[in-house]
Amino acid sequence: MRLILMGPPGAGKGTQAKFVADHFGIPAISTGDIFRANVSEGTPLGIEAKRFMDKGEYVPDEVTNQMVRNRIGEPDAAPGFLLDGYPRTLAQVEELDGMIASSGHRLDAVVVLRVDQDEVVQRLTQRAQVEGRADDTEDVIRRRQAVYAEETEPLIQVYRDRGIVHEIDGMGEVEDVTKRIFAALDVVPQS
Ligand code: ADP
C-alpha cells in the first residue's frame, strides 16, 4: 500500500497518518518530522532545512527529494508507506512517480483532509503552546498556509486526474475523521 496524506498545515495529517499507517503495517513518513529531527540533532541537513522552515518556506526540492528517496529505500518501507507532507511541489510529484515506478509499484491513493481555515489557525496556536514549534508563530503559520495554497493545493488536481483522490472532511473528532478515511479506503474497522 502506497499512500499520500495531504492537507493544509494543521489539518491533522500527523495524527491521522499514524492510525492509517498502523492499520496497513507500513511506516508513516513525515518529511516535517524528519527535518525537525535533523534540526534538533544539528546535522548538516538540519542546518540547511532550518533556514527555510523558520520562515515557513519549503526546503529546496533537491534536498527533500533525496531525503525521501533514502527513507523509502529503507527495509521497513518495502511493503509500502504513507507519506505525510510529501510531495508538496510539482517537481516532488514527478520525482516520487519515478521512485515508485522504478520499484515496480504504483501509488494507490491520495487522501486529502479538508479543514476550516479558522479552526486550523486555532489548532496550530494551541500546538505552539504544547510543543513549542519554532514555526508555529502566527506570521509563520500564515506564510505556511499561503505557500500551501500556492504550491501544494494545485497538486490535488494532478492526482484527481488519475482518479486516486479521496477528499475527506477533516473537521470534528479525531476518531470520526479516522473512520471517514477508512471508509473512503474501504477498510473494515477492527474494533
Ligand atoms: P505543516 O504541514 O504543519 O506546515 P510539516 O511538519 O509538514 O508542517 O512541515 C514543516 C516544514 O518542513 C515546512 O513548513 C517546510 O519548511 C518543511 N517541509 C516539510 N515537508 C516538505 C516538503 N515536502 N518540501 C519542502 N519542505 C518541506
Side-chain angles (χ1 to χ4, degrees):
M1 192 66 165
R2 284 160 187 80
L3 298 166
I4 296 173
L5 189 55
M6 285 178 72
K13 296 188 297 291
T15 307
Q16 299 299 336
K18 195 177 159 14
F19 294 131
V20 177
D22 283 354
H23 174 84
F24 289 109
I26 54 178
I29 300 174
S30 156
T31 43
D33 283 352
I34 302 175
F35 282 134
R36 276 185 292 280
N38 278 275
V39 169
S40 58
E41 286 160 23
T43 67
L45 174 66
I47 292 163
E48 166 81 353
K50 190 177 189 318
R51 298 196 288 133
F52 300 92
M53 295 171 76
D54 283 352
K55 291 183 287 184
E57 305 294 337
Y58 286 169
V59 176
D61 285 332
E62 313 78 62
V63 176
T64 310
N65 286 334
Q66 190 53 49
M67 183 179 86
V68 172
R69 184 180 293 279
N70 293 341
R71 179 63 190 88
I72 67 177
E74 285 176 29
D76 66 330
F81 46 79
L82 182 154
L83 293 169
D84 159 11
Y86 182 95
R88 272 171 140 112
T89 65
L90 198 54
Q92 293 180 10
V93 168
E94 288 164 2
E95 197 73 14
L96 178 65
D97 283 342
M99 292 180 217
I100 294 179
S102 69
S103 69
H105 295 102
R106 66 186 166 93
L107 186 60
D108 296 290
V110 177
V111 174
V112 179
L113 292 180
R114 294 282 177 204
V115 288
D116 176 282
Q117 200 83 345
D118 293 340
E119 170 89 354
V120 158
V121 175
Q122 205 187 329
R123 278 186 192 175
L124 290 177
T125 341
Q126 275 168 4
R127 183 171 75 185
Q129 287 158 7
V130 181
E131 294 178 13
R133 261 177 60 165
D135 61 349
D136 273 346
T137 62
E138 197 171 331
D139 282 356
V140 180
I141 292 170
R142 285 222 192 85
R143 182 65 198 143
R144 277 156 52 210
Q145 287 180 326
V147 174
Y148 178 85
E150 277 163 37
E151 300 215 37
T152 305
E153 179 81 34
L155 306 182
I156 297 170
Q157 189 58 43
V158 173
Y159 289 124
R160 217 179 262 135
D161 291 345
R162 299 185 195 177
I164 54 171
V165 169
H166 303 273
E167 300 199 53
I168 306 292
D169 174 7
M171 302 297 292
E173 298 298 319
V174 168
E175 61 182 59
D176 291 333
V177 178
T178 310
K179 281 184 195 150
R180 287 176 210 139
I181 296 175
F182 282 161
L185 296 174
D186 287 327
V187 169
V188 181
Q190 288 163 321
S191 55

